[in-house]
Amino acid sequence: MKELTIAATEENISLVTDFVDAELEDHGCGIKARTQIDIAIDELFGNIAKYAYAPNVGSATVRVNVTDSPLTAEITFIDCGTPYNPLESKDPDITLSADERKIGGLGIFMVKKSMDNMSYEFKDGQNVLVIKKQF
């Protein structure tokens, strides 16, 4: 398992993505799964950066673990910001046009649909969100 603790800012999304991608590439993760994971990082770390500590900046820890049989990437996001479970957010009505839809929720919806598993808990004063993707 590899771990990175970094300031939760939008500017650091690319550093987090590069950190995770390096580990995925070392394990032969294909471009499709890596792209889906990168989109999830952008959404999840971006939400931490925008909302967890607003209006201040705090830190976030990102852990990457790759397991065998089947090859699965497990990425954990940990922050000490405002408790928030994105899995409880209502899915947007994607049958409506973009003009008719409420703003928000589409990114989390896309992450839910593209990952094989997601879990959340608030434990010891920390938000802990885990995504898993087989490749």
Side-chain angles (χ1 to χ4, degrees), residues 19-36:
F19 166 74
V20 172
D21 281 353
E23 187 68 11
L24 296 176
E25 287 173 18
D26 285 350
H27 288 86
C29 182
I31 189 70
K32 180 180 178 185
R34 202 166 61 238
T35 299
Q36 290 173 324

Side-chain angles (χ1 to χ4, degrees), residues 56-70:
N56 301 311
V57 174
S59 65
T61 298
V62 179
R63 293 182 183 146
V64 183
N65 189 35
V66 178
T67 58
D68 294 324
S69 299

Side-chain angles (χ1 to χ4, degrees), residues 1-8 16 19-20 44-45 48 53 58-64 75-81 126-130:
M1 175 175 49
K2 301 248 176 138
E3 181 175 295
L4 172 69
T5 299
I6 194 166
V16 172
F19 166 74
V20 172
L44 300 173
F45 193 84
I48 294 168
Y53 300 101
S59 65
T61 298
V62 179
R63 293 182 183 146
V64 183
I75 298 108
T76 304
F77 300 85
I78 303 167
D79 69 78
C80 297
Q126 297 179 317
N127 291 294
V128 181
L129 180 67
V130 180

